[in-house]
Amino acid sequence: MSFGVRPMGENFGMKHRLLMATVCAVVLVGACADSSETEAQMELASVPAMPGQITRVIGATGKIVPRDEVMVGSEVSGRLLDVRVDYNSRVTAGQVLAIIDPTNFRNRVEQLEGRIRSSIADIDVQKARIRSAEVTLAQAQQNETRRRGLFSQQAVSEAQMEAAERDVGVAQANLDLAVAQLESQRASLAQVRAEMDTAKENLARSIITSPIDGVIIDRKIDPGQTVQASFNAPELFTIAADLSEIQVEARIVESDVAGLNPGDKAKFTVDAYPDRTIEGEVELLRLKSVEANNIVSYVAVVKADNPDGVLMPGMTANLEITTEVRAGVSRLPVMAERFRPSPDQVAQFQAESAETEPVTLLDPTYARFRAIGIDEPRIAEFADRVSPVTQGVRDIINDPTKSFMHTPMRIQLGEIVENQVRQFLSPEEQSRYTAQVTLERTIRPVDVWVATADGKMVKRTLKLGLSDGAFVEVVDGLKEGEQVVTGVREAGSGQTGGPGGRAGGRPGSAR
């Protein structure tokens, strides 16, 4: 009997292949199990909208300046004989600050006084000439009268009569000339007197006095210095009226200007007293813009008290201005607005979107009417009025084959509706409507993900308003009890995960 013997190498190879196949199968099953376990452990982190307060605060830097600041200059030129104040000197209105050499101004006054006396004497002489001319004229008129009588009796010749008439004319002309010369001399006297007033004013201006009560914060002159005021008034002193009240000129970047109004509360610190917080109030937002390094900013004037005088002009203030406070609003953490899921997370957690009621093009106008208190019958009346005149434009906007015309047609629709609103509403209602439109400009549509009851999520467009950096106001689009997804995390770990989860801060409660 013979037995077949299988070679040893062949038997070993078969066992080796069976072993490798088994190991691969085990690894594959384990990997699948791990993958299934990982997917099963991921869940959505979400938060509901909760009532609370949102405060908008903007930061800025500024410079402390006096509330009232006066630059004291000189309107006359000359050498300074005396300077009677120094830095930080307290002065009162009318107090002498400096004296300019008055010699030239005094000499000018004396010269003009002499000219005035001379002009008065000339006027007196001219008055005497007028009286003489009047006497001469009267005598000539008497001679003419006598000769006219004699001429009528043919007692004098015609030539004598003409000579008498000529004498009257010459006398009258001399009188008129004397009167005119008197008026000219009176005008010259008035001119000299005006020059005297100017000279006296210049003499008085050689004494520099303080126009207000305050303190000297800058002095730019010294005794013996010559002041030149030929083309402009040189600045000699700077006086701060009252340092118990100061103001901060804060630079506000243009993106923070919206919502900044007079009366907004502000608080600030200065580098000299970093632990001391000073409270103030926005007094004015200047319309003139300032551009530096391609950044446009505006100056907000913040007034504050400085009773102990520790705040000095020129100090740098670091401000926080509260522009708006809204209490009792529905709010979400900003992480809900920032969450952007990855494509894998969308594929895993996205639910089928529910059908939503379409919004017509005129619905925003009706919503504004409701917001300002217009009742439904009047809204229906406006709808009956505006619908026919906007039907053609709305048809073009709703036609997908005419997309190239949608933008100009929307602009035209807005103009038509605005015109109809002005005609329909009363002036008081129009004012409220305009305020509502202005308010809506601060509201922005944002796409977020809303968690569903089955652990999925759907995309939703919310209207979000004011944000303070930690929370954002929910104006519309979220129903009571709904939760907004903030991230994807491992079940029970409390940590948001996934490459697409960009939510900041702590995640909300998991669904």
Side-chain angles (χ1 to χ4, degrees):
M1 177 181 228
S2 62
F3 296 91
V5 180
R6 183 174 296 177
M8 180 178 178
E10 181 181 353
N11 187 32
F12 176 79
M14 182 177 295
K15 290 182 179 181
H16 182 265
R17 286 192 296 271
L18 290 174
L19 178 61
M20 292 300 295
T22 303
V23 171
C24 291
V26 171
V27 171
L28 180 60
V29 171
C32 293
D34 290 342
S35 176
S36 299
E37 181 179 359
T38 301
E39 290 184 4
Q41 288 179 347
M42 301 304 293
E43 63 181 4
L44 298 175
S46 60
V47 292
M50 300 292 290
Q53 176 175 294
I54 295 181
T55 303
R56 181 173 178 258
V57 179
I58 61 176
T61 59
K63 183 178 69 173
I64 293 178
V65 297
R67 290 278 294 164
D68 296 308
E69 189 175 272
V70 178
M71 306 294 182
V72 180
S74 174
E75 298 181 63
V76 296
S77 302
R79 182 174 59 87
L80 284 164
L81 294 181
D82 189 16
V83 178
R84 299 186 178 182
V85 293
D86 203 347
Y87 291 95
N88 300 340
S89 298
R90 293 193 173 275
V91 296
T92 57
Q95 179 179 338
V96 177
L97 306 180
I99 298 177
I100 296 176
D101 188 355
T103 303
N104 293 336
F105 308 112
R106 190 179 294 115
N107 292 339
R108 178 62 176 166
V109 170
E110 292 175 356
Q111 290 174 0
L112 292 173
E113 286 177 347
R115 288 179 57 185
I116 288 175
R117 288 192 296 270
S118 176
S119 296
I120 292 175
D122 290 343
I123 288 175
D124 292 338
V125 171
Q126 195 63 35
K127 287 180 179 179
R129 290 176 179 172
I130 290 175
R131 288 194 297 269
S132 175
E134 288 174 345
V135 171
T136 302
L137 175 62
Q139 184 178 1
Q141 289 173 341
Q142 289 177 358
N143 291 336
E144 181 194 16
T145 301
R146 285 196 302 268
R147 290 189 180 185
R148 191 174 297 280
L150 294 173
F151 180 75
S152 63
Q153 299 175 7
Q154 296 182 353
V156 295
S157 65
E158 184 176 356
Q160 291 175 323
M161 185 63 208
E162 291 176 352
E165 292 175 349
R166 183 179 65 251
D167 292 342
V168 171
V170 171
Q172 182 66 52
N174 290 334
L175 177 60
D176 293 341
L177 177 60
V179 171
Q181 290 176 341
L182 176 62
E183 292 300 320
S184 174
Q185 290 174 350
R186 284 175 174 171
S188 298
L189 177 61
Q191 181 179 358
V192 175
R193 282 176 172 168
E195 292 179 9
M196 171 63 80
D197 293 340
T198 302
K200 288 182 177 179
E201 186 67 24
N202 288 337
L203 178 60
R205 288 171 179 171
S206 66
I207 301 176
I208 310 299
T209 60
S210 174
I212 59 172
D213 297 340
V215 59
I216 303 294
I217 62 175
D218 191 14
R219 191 194 79 175
K220 300 181 179 180
I221 55 171
D222 294 302
Q225 183 176 342
T226 300
V227 176
Q228 295 291 340
S230 301
F231 301 102
N232 53 14
E235 294 180 4
L236 308 182
F237 306 95
T238 301
I239 303 177
D242 184 8
L243 290 180
S244 63
E245 291 185 356
I246 54 91
Q247 66 185 25
V248 181
E249 295 182 351
R251 292 283 185 92
I252 310 297
V253 297
E254 60 177 325
S255 59
D256 290 335
V257 167
L260 182 64
N261 298 301
D264 289 342
K265 300 301 180 183
K267 57 183 180 180
F268 63 91
T269 60
V270 295
D271 294 340
Y273 308 98
D275 298 330
R276 178 173 179 176
T277 301
I278 299 96
E279 295 184 353
E281 181 179 299
V282 176
E283 184 177 39
L284 174 69
L285 179 64
R286 294 175 182 169
L287 298 179
K288 181 176 175 57
S289 62
V290 179
E291 185 173 352
N293 298 324
N294 295 325
I295 299 176
V296 177
S297 60
Y298 295 83
V299 175
V301 178
V302 177
K303 62 179 181 180
D305 293 330
N306 183 31
D308 48 6
V310 297
L311 301 178
M312 293 183 287
M315 285 185 170
T316 300
N318 303 304
L319 300 101
E320 291 184 352
I321 303 175
T322 302
T323 61
E324 193 168 0
V325 178
R326 295 183 186 175
V329 299
S330 179
R331 65 180 190 175
L332 284 170
V334 293
M335 68 180 75
E337 177 185 358
R338 297 172 182 169
F339 171 66
R340 297 294 182 270
S342 67
D344 293 340
Q345 292 170 348
V346 172
Q348 180 180 355
F349 291 103
Q350 186 175 17
E352 294 184 2
S353 300
E355 292 293 331
T356 58
E357 184 178 351
V359 179
T360 67
L361 295 171
L362 298 177
D363 279 353
T365 303
Y366 305 150
R368 295 186 191 113
F369 278 8
R370 295 185 182 95
I372 65 174
I374 305 297
D375 55 26
E376 293 300 329
R378 288 195 64 200
I379 294 176
E381 177 186 350
F382 179 79
D384 294 340
R385 176 176 178 172
V386 75
S387 293
V389 297
T390 60
Q391 187 62 54
V393 176
R394 289 185 288 121
D395 289 343
I396 296 175
I397 296 174
N398 291 324
D399 189 347
T401 64
K402 299 180 180 179
S403 59
F404 63 96
M405 298 181 63
H406 288 179
T407 298
M409 288 297 101
R410 285 183 180 276
I411 295 175
Q412 183 177 347
L413 176 65
E415 294 174 350
I416 296 174
V417 173
E418 182 179 354
N419 183 53
Q420 292 293 325
V421 168
R422 282 198 300 267
Q423 298 177 19
F424 183 76
L425 297 180
S426 66
E428 194 275 334
E429 291 172 338
Q430 178 65 41
S431 177
R432 296 204 309 268
Y433 182 87
T434 302
Q436 180 65 25
V437 172
T438 303
L439 176 62
E440 290 180 6
R441 287 174 181 167
T442 64
I443 299 173
R444 50 201 168 86
V446 176
D447 290 336
V448 300
W449 292 88
V450 177
T452 60
D454 57 357
K456 299 290 186 178
M457 61 182 182
V458 293
K459 183 180 287 190
R460 180 87 58 80
T461 300
L462 303 185
K463 291 183 179 180
L464 303 181
L466 188 64
S467 174
D468 59 6
F471 293 92
V472 60
E473 176 189 10
V474 180
V475 178
D476 191 18
L478 196 64
K479 299 178 181 178
E480 183 178 358
E482 289 185 320
Q483 298 205 13
V484 179
V485 178
T486 61
V488 179
R489 68 183 185 184
E490 294 182 4
S493 68
Q495 299 294 327
T496 301
R502 294 187 293 176
R506 294 175 296 179
S509 59
R511 293 287 295 180

